[in-house]
């Protein structure tokens, strides 16, 4: 499945609710899910961690749907198989 197909699936599932909640409400959910992912990363429960990763990409897709942004197109435009700063793959930027 491509990112765009996942985003479309999320649109079919949740777009009306996402639209009604709005940008700020959906952003708040995304931020909350990122915080929950951060908590899970401290632990050892891999299954719970995987679920938090799923929640983060789901809420990111919901937010993109509200904004009418194609996540796959945006991601590949910025990261076209090379680092956007040094243009190399793998990245050769200094830390
Ligand atoms: Zn780089």
């Amino acid at each position: 499945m491509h990112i765009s197909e996942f985003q479309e699936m999320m649109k079919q599932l949740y777009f009306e609710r996402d639209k009604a909640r709005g940008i700020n409400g959906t952003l708040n959910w995304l931020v909350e899910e990122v915080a929950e992912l951060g908590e899970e990363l401290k632990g050892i429960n891999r299954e719970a961690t995987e679920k938090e990763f799923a929640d983060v990409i789901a809420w990111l897709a919901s937010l993109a749907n509200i904004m009418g942004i194609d996540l796959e197109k945006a991601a590949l435009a910025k990261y076209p198989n090379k680092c956007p700063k040094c243009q190399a793959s793998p990245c050769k930027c200094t830390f």
Side-chain angles (χ1 to χ4, degrees):
M1 180 180 264
H2 288 267
I3 295 170
S4 59
E5 293 168 326
F6 180 80
Q7 185 176 351
E8 180 60 30
M9 179 187 74
M10 295 305 292
K11 191 173 187 177
Q12 297 300 320
L13 286 171
Y14 298 119
F15 186 67
E16 290 307 318
R17 294 170 67 165
D18 289 339
K19 197 169 74 172
R21 186 184 315 100
I23 293 165
N24 287 337
T26 303
L27 175 63
N28 288 341
W29 272 103
L30 173 60
V31 169
E32 176 64 28
E33 293 299 342
V34 170
E36 289 179 12
L37 173 61
E39 286 302 310
E40 284 301 334
L41 290 173
K42 296 174 188 169
I44 55 166
N45 188 336
R46 187 160 184 91
E47 189 181 337
T49 304
E50 285 179 0
K51 287 179 179 174
E52 294 303 336
F53 270 101
D55 287 339
V56 168
I57 195 170
W59 283 102
L60 183 65
S62 284
L63 189 58
N65 281 334
I66 295 170
M67 295 296 296
I69 288 173
D70 182 329
L71 270 182
E72 184 170 300
K73 188 176 152 203
L76 293 176
K78 180 154 186 188
Y79 299 95
N81 208 29
K82 60 186 178 184
C83 172
K85 283 176 88 175
C86 68
Q87 306 295 314
S89 176
C91 171
K92 291 181 168 42
C93 294
T94 51
F95 280 107

